[in-house]
């Protein structure tokens, strides 16, 4: 996967975690659902947050590798220019 895809997936899972957590908090405050539903919703929210972090870290790793590759190429080009002079 590329950087943009990983960032999009991380953002989607962030919104899922926020939405589920908000729904769980609202349902818990209103006492509309049994306790096990609240626990299950909280687990889903935490799982979505973990997936978002996983995708975010993978995107950062790809970006860092790409940056290091570009810097290495720039240094090689600079060395070639200096050798030609």
């Amino acid at each position: 996967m590329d950087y943009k895809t990983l960032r999009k997936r991380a953002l989607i899972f962030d919104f899922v975690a926020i939405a589920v957590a908000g729904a769980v908090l609202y349902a818990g405050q209103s006492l509309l659902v049994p306790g096990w539903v609240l626990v299950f919703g909280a687990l889903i929210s935490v799982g979505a947050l973990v997936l978002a972090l996983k995708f975010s870290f993978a995107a950062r790793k790809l970006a860092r590798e790409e940056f290091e590759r570009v810097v290495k190429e720039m240094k090689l080009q600079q060395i070639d220019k200096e050798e030609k002079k």
Side-chain angles (χ1 to χ4, degrees):
M1 283 186 270
D2 63 334
Y3 174 78
K4 287 183 180 183
T5 303
L6 290 170
R7 293 300 297 171
K8 285 179 187 177
R9 288 186 181 181
L11 188 61
I12 288 169
F13 279 108
D14 278 336
F15 283 128
V16 167
I18 291 169
V20 171
V24 166
L25 287 172
Y26 177 76
Q29 178 193 17
S30 302
L31 300 173
L32 299 174
V33 293
W36 66 269
V37 174
L38 299 176
V39 172
F40 187 67
L43 290 175
I44 289 174
S45 182
V46 169
L49 203 61
V50 168
L51 285 173
L53 286 171
K54 176 186 167 194
F55 286 128
S56 182
F57 286 143
R60 288 182 67 199
K61 181 180 177 185
L62 278 177
R64 188 177 341 110
E65 289 172 355
E66 179 69 18
F67 178 74
E68 289 172 356
R69 186 183 62 79
V70 168
V71 168
K72 185 177 178 182
E73 287 177 6
M74 289 174 61
K75 285 182 181 178
L76 288 174
Q77 288 176 357
Q78 185 67 24
I79 291 171
D80 288 343
K81 286 181 182 178
E82 290 174 0
E83 288 177 353
K84 289 181 180 179
K85 288 182 181 181

